[in-house]
Amino acid sequence: MLALCAAGVVGCGRAPAPPYSLAFTLEGRAPRVLQASDEITVPIAVVNTGQRAWDPGRVHVSYHWLWLVPREIVSRSRWNAPYHDGIRTELSGLVAPGARVAVRGRVLAPPVPGVYWLQWDMVEEGVTWFAQVSPRQPLALVIVVPPLFWILGPLPLLVAIAGIAALKGQRYARVALSADIWWCLASLFAKPFVIFHDALLEPTAVAYWLTIVTATLPVAVVALAFPRRVRAWVLLAAGIFGSLVILADVFYYRFFGDVLSAPALLGVRQTGHVWGSIRSLFTPGLVWLVGDWPFAVWLTIRLSRRQEPSPSLGARARVAAAALAILAVSGVALSARRVIASAPLDQMFRDRAVVEQLGPFGFHAYDTWNYLRGTWLRVPVSDAQMADAVAWFEARAPVRAGAGPSFGAARGKNVIVVQVESLQDFVVNLRVGGQDVMPHLRQWTDDSVRFTNVTDQTNEGRTSDAELTTLASLLPLEHGAAAFRYPGNHYVALPRVLADRGYRTLSAVAFEPGFWNRQVMHPSYGFQHTLFEADFQMTEQIGWGLNDRDFLQQMVPHLTKMPRPFLAWVVTLSLHHPFEDFPPAHKVLKLGALEGTSFGNYLHTMRFFDQALEEFKDALAGRGLLDDSMVVVFGDHDAGFARDASLAGLIGIRADDAAWALNDRVPVFVRAPGLRGVRATPAGQTDVAPTLLALLGIDPAPLPYVGRNLLGAVDREPWGPGNIVPRPYGDWLGPSHLVLTRGLDHTCVDLARQRTADWADCRSADEAARRERDVSRLVVTDDLQQRIWKRLTAAAR
C-alpha cells in the first residue's frame, strides 16, 4: 500500500491544515502501463485533512497528465500542461474533516502514446483545484502505449508495398509471387481490430481465434481453387469487400451505437443523414481501412502479368491443409466449439455483444444465416395453417371489440405513453417506515383507471418483449428476442394503426439506437420518427442513461411542437437492475437497514421516477397538453430480484412459487376522460394496444391482436378466451386458477384455496393458453400479421 500525504496533514507536526488539504492512499498498485484512450479504475482512499466538509455534489477526485520532464521543471511550471483536466470520480457522500472515504478512481489515458506523469488531485467545481492552493500529490510514471490497431493497421499497406518492391528485383521474386495471398490475409485479419477499438469491444479469446479463421479460410479456399492470375483478382475483391464491411460497421456504430446487421440494411433509408455527414464520421485512423487499396490494385496488376507457372494443385492443397490444421488444433486448445455453443447469442441485448463472441466477420456470417433462415429459407406457411390462424383471430374478435360505455372516451385525444423500466405493481402502494415509496403515482388512482393484475408477459427479450407485447399485441418468443430474430417483420402495431388515421407517431429513448435493435424495430412498428441519445442533452446519467427527470422534461418541448393528434411513446431507462450507484443526492427515503442494498436502491429509483412523473405531469398541464391527451403509464417488466424469503416479507407476500408468480405484475394507469377506479381482472401486456385503440374510438376487432379490450365486453365463460392470460415459460393466469410449468411438470393452483388443485381443473384452459402461444408464434416467425389483418378486414366488410 502506497500512502501519499499532503503537507499540513493532522498529526504531522506542522501548521493547521489549509481548507483544501487532503491525503491519498492508493490501495493497490498505481497503473504503470496504459493503452491510449483506455479508462481504468484505481482503488483510492481519500482523507479530508482540511477544515471544511466536502460536498459530493461539488468536490470530486480527479488527476492531471503531464509530459515527462525533469521534476525540477514540473515543480516550477504553471498549470498549463496538456491533459490537465482529468475525468471526475464522485464521492459517495459528505466527507467531514478528518473522515476517510474509499473510491474507485477513474482514469482516462491520453489519446496520444508517450511517457507521462500521473498526478492525483481533487477539485471543487467552479472554485479551484486542491493542488492550486495546497501542496501537490507525488507524481507516478506511466507509459501510454498505442492501441493494437495502430500497430496492426499499417500491416496490409506494408505487405502490399513490400510485395511490389520484391517483384521489381530477382532475389525475392519467388516469394513475391504469393504477395497477394499475404496482403489479403493481412487485410482480413488486421482491419477487424479497427472496429474492436472504435466500439470499445472486449473480444473473447475465441473471438480472436475466429478472426484469424475468417481471414485464413477464404484465402486458403481461393488459393486452392484458382490459378495465380485469377487468384490475384479474387483476393483483391475479397480484401476490399472485407474492408468495406468493417468501414460500414464503423460508420454505423458511430451513428447508431451498434454494428451493421442484415435486418438493419432493410432500414437503410434511416441512415441517409449518416452518409450525408460522412466527412464528420471519417477520422484519420480510418485511413488504414482504405489506404492500402491503390497499392493492392497495383500489386494485383503486376502479379496478373507474370508468366511464371502457378504451383501445382497438390502443392497448393498441402499448404492450405497445413494452415487449416493449425487453426483446428488451436481451436481445440481453446475449446472453441464448447465456448460458442454455450454462448446465448440469441439472447444478447446488442449485436456488438455477439461481435465480442464471434469477431466481426463471424458475426456477419451468423447474422446473415439467421436472416436467411428466418426469411428466404423459411418454410412458407401452408394454406391450412393460414386459414386456421385467421379463424382463431375471428373467433377472438368479440373480446377485442370496441364496446362498452368507455368506447371512444378519448376520441381525438393525443396519446402519451410512458414505458417505465422495471416498475412493478407492488411498489406503487408500498410503504417503508411510514413513507410512501410512490405517493404521486398512487394518487393517479383517483383520476385514472388502474389495472392492478397485469401479468408480466416478457421473456428473454425483456424490454424489447414489452414493446412487442404492448405495441403489436403479440406474445414474445420462447427463446431469444423477436427484435433480433425477426426484425424485418411487417407489424400492424398500434403506431401504424394510428398513423393510418392521421396521427403523428413518435418514440423516444435516450440511449443507443442499436440497443434492442430499436433503429429497425420502431419503424417496423409504425413510428414515423424516433429520438435517441443524440437528440437529448445528456445531463446527469443514472443507471443506463439520462435520468428520468431530465429525460421527461426534455420531452415536453418535443411534444409541444408535434402536430395533433399525436402518439408519443416515451421509454425511461434509469431504473435498471441491479440498481447500483444511485446518487445519494437524490435519496429522499429513510430506509434504515435497507440502505445501500439492491432493493433499497430500487426503492430510491422508484421514488425518483415518481417525482419525475409528477413534474412531467405538471409540465404537460402548463403547456395545455394534459387535458388534451390520454396519458398512459405502465411497467415494462419485473425488477429482476432473486426470490427469497426476506424479500417476500418486505413486499408482503408468501415465499412460495405461486405467490411469486402472482406478484410478477406490472401496473397500467390510463388517464382519460371519465375513467376512474381499479380493475383487478387478470390481464396481460398484450391487452394494452386493443384497450387504447378502443378508448380512441377505433374498433380493434378486425386487428390480428392476441390481446383483449379490457374495458369492453366481459367473457362470461370461466375458461373463455377473454379470461386466460399466458405467462412466460408455459405458465398462465386465469380468474380462479394459476398454472406453473417447470419442464415437463405442470402444477394447477386453486387461487381461492391457495393450494394445488387437480390437473383436470386446468386442462381445458391450459389447452387454450397453449393454442394462443402457438398462433402468436406462427404470426411472428412467419411474418403473418399484415396478411391476417387484410383477411380479417375483408371478412368484416
Side-chain angles (χ1 to χ4, degrees):
M1 180 180 292
L2 177 63
L4 307 175
C5 182
V9 175
V10 174
C12 289
R14 301 184 181 181
Y20 294 105
S21 184
L22 72 149
F24 278 119
T25 301
L26 271 64
E27 299 183 329
R29 298 189 62 178
R32 295 301 182 188
V33 179
L34 292 176
Q35 184 172 284
S37 300
D38 265 7
E39 182 178 333
I40 66 167
T41 60
V42 178
I44 297 176
V46 184
V47 181
N48 183 354
T49 57
Q51 301 170 349
R52 182 161 57 87
W54 295 340
D55 178 0
R58 296 176 57 85
V59 177
H60 302 117
V61 177
S62 190
Y63 56 86
H64 311 289
W65 288 112
L66 300 99
W67 294 111
L68 177 60
V69 293
R71 290 178 178 270
E72 295 78 11
I73 298 177
V74 172
S75 63
R76 294 196 301 269
S77 66
R78 302 182 63 185
W79 285 93
N80 58 0
Y83 314 112
H84 170 225
D85 199 359
I87 60 175
R88 308 303 200 250
T89 299
E90 294 186 356
L91 301 173
S92 57
L94 191 73
V95 183
R100 175 182 182 276
V101 61
V103 297
R104 302 285 301 183
R106 299 171 58 216
V107 182
L108 179 65
V112 180
V115 183
Y116 296 84
W117 293 112
L118 171 62
Q119 185 173 58
W120 290 99
D121 199 357
M122 295 187 68
V123 58
E124 182 171 6
E125 305 295 348
V127 180
T128 185
W129 287 88
F130 283 27
Q132 292 178 311
V133 293
S134 65
R136 302 173 184 173
Q137 302 300 309
L139 303 173
L141 188 67
V142 178
I143 299 174
V144 178
V145 300
L148 189 57
F149 97 95
W150 280 28
I151 300 171
L152 295 177
L155 185 60
L157 175 62
L158 296 177
V159 170
I161 294 175
I164 294 170
L167 284 173
K168 291 182 177 181
Q170 297 297 322
R171 186 174 182 181
Y172 301 105
R174 189 173 182 83
V175 176
L177 294 177
S178 301
D180 56 336
I181 295 176
W182 291 110
W183 170 80
C184 188
L185 188 62
S187 182
L188 296 179
F189 168 69
K191 293 181 180 181
F193 285 85
V194 176
I195 189 64
F196 286 159
H197 178 269
D198 206 78
L200 302 177
L201 301 180
E202 298 179 358
T204 64
V206 171
Y208 285 120
W209 175 78
L210 284 171
T211 301
I212 299 174
V213 170
T214 53
T216 305
L217 186 59
V219 173
V221 171
V222 172
L224 179 63
F226 297 98
R228 181 185 299 114
R229 291 187 179 184
V230 179
R231 180 195 73 193
W233 290 104
V234 174
L235 290 177
L236 175 68
I240 291 179
F241 177 76
S243 302
L244 288 172
V245 170
I246 299 300
L247 190 64
D249 282 338
V250 171
F251 284 140
Y252 196 80
Y253 178 81
R254 290 183 177 183
F255 193 85
F256 286 116
D258 212 345
V259 293
L260 185 64
S261 65
L265 290 174
L266 301 175
V268 70
R269 63 184 183 278
Q270 303 176 71
T271 61
H273 46 312
V274 177
W275 305 119
S277 58
I278 193 169
R279 291 178 60 185
S280 65
L281 296 174
F282 195 92
T283 55
L286 297 186
V287 73
W288 300 123
L289 291 176
V290 298
D292 58 321
W293 290 1
F295 297 94
V297 172
W298 185 5
L299 174 65
T300 300
I301 294 173
R302 294 288 302 273
L303 284 172
S304 65
R305 293 176 178 175
R306 302 287 291 200
Q307 300 300 318
E308 292 88 346
S310 300
S312 66
L313 179 60
R316 300 201 303 268
R318 286 192 294 271
V319 174
L324 297 179
I326 293 172
L327 291 176
V329 171
S330 59
V332 171
L334 290 172
S335 301
R337 182 177 179 180
R338 178 184 58 79
V339 172
I340 295 172
S342 63
L345 301 178
D346 60 349
Q347 300 176 32
M348 293 183 173
F349 291 154
R350 290 178 288 183
D351 288 333
R352 57 170 288 161
V354 183
V355 177
E356 291 181 327
Q357 300 292 324
L358 303 181
F361 295 131
F363 158 74
H364 286 296
Y366 169 81
D367 172 63
T368 301
W369 166 246
N370 272 345
Y371 176 72
L372 293 176
R373 185 179 60 176
T375 53
W376 296 350
L377 301 180
R378 182 167 54 194
V379 177
V381 61
S382 67
D383 292 340
Q385 287 176 305
M386 186 69 176
D388 186 55
V390 171
W392 186 86
F393 281 107
E394 286 178 333
R396 296 263 298 192
V399 299
R400 292 192 304 272
S406 63
F407 180 69
R411 193 187 306 271
K413 298 284 187 181
N414 305 312
V415 184
I416 302 173
V417 181
V418 183
Q419 176 180 312
V420 187
E421 176 66 44
S422 303
L423 174 61
Q424 289 194 241
D425 189 75
F426 76 85
V427 77
V428 177
N429 289 339
L430 188 66
R431 291 176 61 83
V432 178
Q435 308 160 96
D436 287 324
V437 175
M438 304 191 77
H440 301 301
L441 185 56
R442 186 177 184 177
Q443 291 176 3
W444 276 51
T445 309
D446 299 334
D447 60 357
S448 308
V449 61
R450 176 184 176 186
F451 300 96
T452 60
N453 199 10
V454 180
T455 193
D456 172 13
Q457 293 181 294
T458 64
N459 207 332
E460 294 172 353
R462 303 296 281 167
T463 299
S464 70
D465 282 352
E467 294 174 9
L468 176 72
T469 55
T470 54
L471 289 167
S473 191
L474 293 170
L475 293 170
L477 301 174
E478 291 89 343
H479 299 289
F484 288 120
R485 293 185 60 185
Y486 301 99
N489 279 7
H490 302 81
Y491 295 100
V492 188
L494 174 67
R496 189 172 305 282
V497 174
L498 292 182
D500 289 345
R501 287 161 174 78
Y503 276 71
R504 297 288 294 178
T505 58
L506 168 77
S507 63
V509 53
F511 203 50
E512 302 169 2
F515 197 77
W516 288 128
N517 211 15
R518 284 189 175 105
Q519 82 274 18
V520 173
M521 290 300 296
H522 279 209
S524 295
Y525 290 139
F527 286 112
Q528 297 161 331
H529 186 55
T530 299
L531 303 177
F532 290 117
E533 187 176 61
D535 299 295
F536 294 90
Q537 182 181 356
M538 299 303 289
T539 53
E540 182 183 15
Q541 300 186 46
I542 299 177
W544 281 13
L546 180 62
N547 73 85
D548 293 342
R549 178 193 58 207
D550 292 354
F551 170 59
L552 293 175
Q553 288 300 312
Q554 290 184 40
M555 280 303 305
V556 175
H558 289 289
L559 300 180
T560 304
K561 297 174 184 176
M562 287 189 68
R564 305 182 186 185
F566 64 77
L567 163 67
W569 198 278
V570 181
V571 183
T572 73
L573 44 77
S574 288
L575 323 175
H576 203 283
H577 190 272
F579 310 102
E580 295 176 340
D581 303 322
F582 187 76
H586 298 309
K587 294 181 178 180
V588 298
L589 296 172
K590 306 299 182 183
L591 299 181
L594 290 176
E595 194 64 65
T597 66
S598 182
F599 185 69
N601 279 337
Y602 173 70
L603 300 182
H604 282 305
T605 61
M606 290 299 155
R607 182 65 181 87
F608 179 76
F609 167 76
D610 185 72
Q611 182 61 41
L613 180 65
E614 183 68 11
E615 294 173 8
F616 180 60
K617 179 181 173 182
D618 291 343
L620 293 177
R623 299 293 184 98
L625 285 172
L626 185 63
D627 292 336
D628 197 29
S629 304
M630 176 169 64
V631 183
V632 182
V633 177
F634 78 95
D636 65 348
H637 55 70
D638 70 280
F641 291 114
R643 297 179 175 184
D644 60 57
S646 60
L647 181 58
L650 287 171
I651 60 181
I653 64 171
R654 304 187 315 275
D656 57 82
D657 288 344
W660 279 112
L662 293 172
N663 185 68
D664 192 13
R665 304 189 309 273
V666 294
V668 176
F669 289 85
V670 181
R671 186 183 187 277
L675 294 185
R676 301 289 186 276
V678 176
R679 306 295 177 93
T681 304
Q685 290 156 308
T686 54
D687 300 326
V688 170
T691 303
L692 297 186
L693 286 173
L695 286 170
L696 294 171
I698 301 170
D699 185 8
L703 295 170
Y705 291 170
V706 302
R708 307 154 296 160
N709 173 15
L710 296 176
L711 299 173
V714 177
D715 195 333
R716 302 297 181 184
E717 294 291 331
W719 301 127
N723 289 324
I724 305 303
V725 183
R727 288 174 33 82
Y729 313 113
D731 298 357
W732 57 260
L733 174 67
S736 58
H737 289 76
L738 166 72
V739 160
L740 303 175
T741 303
R742 299 294 179 268
L744 298 177
D745 297 328
H746 305 274
T747 303
C748 178
V749 180
D750 186 316
L751 296 178
R753 301 179 181 181
Q754 297 187 6
R755 68 183 186 186
T756 302
D758 191 71
W759 180 246
D761 294 344
C762 290
R763 181 176 288 111
S764 62
D766 188 68
E767 292 174 355
R770 187 183 302 273
R771 176 82 172 114
E772 183 172 337
R773 290 191 190 92
D774 290 344
V775 171
S776 182
R777 184 192 309 111
L778 184 70
V779 172
V780 174
T781 59
D782 284 81
D783 190 16
L784 300 180
Q785 197 168 39
Q786 280 197 11
R787 293 170 59 186
I788 294 175
W789 173 52
K790 291 177 182 178
R791 293 202 184 184
L792 293 175
T793 303
R797 290 173 181 168

